[in-house]
Amino acid sequence: MSRSAIASISLPALQHNLERVRTLAPRSKVMAVVKADGYGHGLERVARALASADAFGVAAIADGLRLRASGHRQRIVVLSGIDEPADLAEVRRLDLDVVLHHDDQLAMVKADPDPRPLRVWLKLDTGMHRLGFPHARAGALVRQLRELPQVHPDLSVMSHFANSDVPTDPVNAAQATRFDLATRDLPVARSLANSAAICHMPGAHHEWVRPGGLLYGLGLAPDQTGSDLGFKPVMHLSSKIIAIQSFAAGERIGYAGAYVCPKPQRVGVVAMGYGDGYPRHVGTGGPVLIRGRRSQVLGRVSMDLLSIDLDEFPEVRVGERVTLWGDSLPVEHVAAAADTISYELTCGVTKRVMFLEQP
Ligand SMILES: *Cc1c(COP(=O)(O)O)cnc(C)c1O
C-alpha cells in the first residue's frame, strides 16, 4: 500500500531563517541546534541547508558522526557531552567539541591518557537546575581546565534559560545576570541565548547564539507563531482524502463514537494518524486546511486515519490533499489543539511519512 502522507521540507525557508537569526544577532556566531534529527526535519538535509552555520549543536555523538560523514567541517558541539571514557576516543576521532557539565565528566577528561587538546564548553547552571556546574564555580573551573593538557585553551562557557519563551518572567534577567557575573572577567567565549532569547534578550547574545526552533520557523509561545517573528515554516505536512461519506444526524463517527453528527454531515477520511506522528490528542475541532480554507478534525484520531468535516466543501473529491500543518496553517495552532508545543509535533513525524525536499 502506498501512503499518501508527505512531509515537505523547505530548504529556502531554513536558509531564510538562519539569515533572520543573523540579522537579530549580528555580532554573534551561530551554533545551529540540530538535535533530534534536526527537530524531526532530517539531520543531513537540515545541515546541508544550514551549511553556513558557524557550528552545529547535537545531543549525541552519533549525530556528530552523521554530520562528519556528510562532510561538514565546522565545530560540532555535543550538548550533553560524554557518558563514559570510551566516548572520549570517539569524540577525538570525529573532532567534536564536548560540553562538560558534571564533575564525573571532568574526572574522565583528567584521566584521559590522550594528550591532544579537546575543545570544551563548560556548562553552568544559572537557574534551570537541569545540567551544569553551579555558576559560582565558573572562575575556579576555568582556571582548572586551562591547566589541563587535555583541554584546548580556547574555552567556551555556556548556560541555558529555563523560561525564555515567557519574556516577562523575572527568572530570565536573573539568569542573565548570574551568567554575566560568573563569566565577566574570564578569558572565554560565552553562549547563553536559545531561540526565545535571540528574539527578546539582545543583551544575552554574547559571542555565540544557539537557535533551534527559530531555524525551523517554530513559534516560541502558544499565541505567537514563527511567522509573527519573521521566520518561515519549514515543514509542510499533508495527506490525501481516501474516502468521503455522508451521515444522518445522530450517527457517531470513529472510535468510541466520540463525535456525534448534530445534523446530516459530509465527512472525509484522511490517510493520516498517530502512526504518522499526528497527535492523537487533537480531537474534534483540531484545524486542517483544504483548498486554502480551514476545516476541522471530527472525533478521535486513529493510527492510520482521521476524519474531517466536509460540510462546507461540497466540491471536494476523494484524492484531494489536506494540509495538516505548514504554510498558512501554523503548526503552533495544531499543537495548541493537542495541548503541547510545536517542537513535539515536528519531532514526532514518523518514518513511514515520505519526506520530500522543496528546493
Ligand atoms: C535545544 C537547545 C537549544 C535550542 O533551543 P531552542 O529553544 O529550540 O532555540 C539551545 N541550547 C541548548 C543547550 C539546547 O539543549
Side-chain angles (χ1 to χ4, degrees):
M1 183 183 91
S2 78
R3 293 279 307 170
S4 312
I6 293 176
S8 167
I9 307 298
S10 168
L11 306 185
L14 281 163
Q15 283 151 357
H16 165 90
N17 294 341
L18 175 58
E19 284 318 305
R20 177 99 185 103
V21 167
R22 291 208 189 272
T23 305
L24 290 172
R27 284 180 295 280
S28 305
K29 291 185 184 166
V30 177
M31 182 198 301
V33 179
V34 293
K35 62 198 187 194
D37 208 27
Y39 286 46
H41 296 69
L43 176 63
E44 283 83 359
R45 85 168 52 85
V46 164
R48 187 161 20 93
L50 301 177
S52 66
D54 303 291
F56 289 114
V58 296
I61 294 173
D63 290 343
L65 171 62
R66 285 168 64 185
L67 290 175
R68 288 288 182 239
S70 352
H72 296 286
R73 311 195 67 92
Q74 59 266 74
R75 294 172 73 175
I76 298 173
V77 184
V78 184
L79 293 170
S80 43
I82 46 173
D83 297 330
E84 51 187 46
D87 289 345
L88 275 174
E90 187 67 351
V91 154
R92 290 181 187 286
R93 187 177 73 79
L94 296 166
D95 191 22
L96 308 179
D97 290 21
V98 289
V99 169
L100 296 186
H101 56 77
H102 195 269
D103 279 308
D104 293 352
Q105 294 178 321
L106 188 56
M108 279 182 234
V109 172
K110 273 191 196 164
D112 187 10
D114 191 328
R116 288 171 299 163
L118 269 176
R119 282 193 191 258
V120 166
W121 297 66
L122 180 69
K123 180 149 186 180
L124 302 180
D125 179 10
T126 52
M128 179 161 186
H129 300 336
R130 193 178 58 179
L131 295 182
F133 291 96
H135 58 92
R137 289 180 60 191
L141 283 163
V142 165
R143 274 191 296 282
Q144 200 182 341
L145 287 169
R146 286 172 70 85
E147 282 166 13
L148 291 181
Q150 297 96 334
V151 173
H152 196 289
D154 178 12
L155 271 176
S156 306
V157 177
M158 63 186 279
S159 187
H160 197 50
F161 282 114
N163 203 23
S164 55
D165 36 0
V166 180
T168 50
D169 187 336
V171 78
N172 298 315
Q175 283 193 260
T177 303
R178 284 182 204 124
F179 187 74
D180 291 353
L181 290 175
T183 59
R184 197 172 40 187
D185 300 318
L186 300 177
V188 295
R190 287 163 299 167
S191 178
L192 182 56
N194 64 336
S195 289
I198 290 167
C199 292
H200 303 306
M201 301 182 71
H205 288 173
H206 297 295
E207 286 78 27
W208 285 90
V209 292
R210 305 191 309 269
L214 286 181
L215 295 174
Y216 310 98
L218 302 176
L220 311 170
D223 52 350
Q224 191 176 50
T225 68
S227 309
D228 295 339
L229 298 160
F231 292 83
K232 293 185 178 171
V234 172
M235 182 187 290
H236 182 259
L237 183 69
S238 70
S239 192
K240 280 186 188 164
I241 297 178
I242 61 165
I244 296 179
Q245 328 250 34
S246 290
F247 298 107
E251 293 297 329
R252 303 166 73 109
I253 291 177
Y255 282 122
Y259 179 79
V260 185
C261 298
K263 54 185 180 354
Q265 198 158 8
R266 191 164 190 256
V267 175
V269 180
V270 182
M272 170 65 59
Y274 62 81
D276 302 293
Y278 189 88
R280 187 175 170 280
H281 284 93
V282 171
T284 298
V288 299
L289 209 63
I290 324 165
R291 297 193 177 189
R293 280 156 59 207
R294 285 219 182 183
S295 184
Q296 57 166 343
V297 172
L298 300 178
R300 290 217 182 140
V301 172
S302 43
M303 187 184 289
D304 305 323
L305 302 166
L306 55 80
S307 296
I308 61 170
D309 186 359
L310 290 181
D311 239 15
E312 312 211 335
F313 296 83
E315 72 287 7
V316 165
R317 297 283 169 263
V318 166
E320 284 197 44
R321 257 189 193 277
V322 175
T323 296
L324 285 317
W325 63 70
D327 292 347
S328 43
L329 175 52
V331 62
E332 289 80 8
H333 294 183
V334 184
D339 200 16
T340 185
I341 59 169
S342 55
Y343 289 31
E344 189 181 13
L345 268 50
T346 63
C347 282
V349 174
T350 63
K351 285 195 291 288
R352 80 174 183 191
V353 173
M354 180 158 63
F355 278 73
L356 298 179
E357 288 173 16
Q358 194 188 314

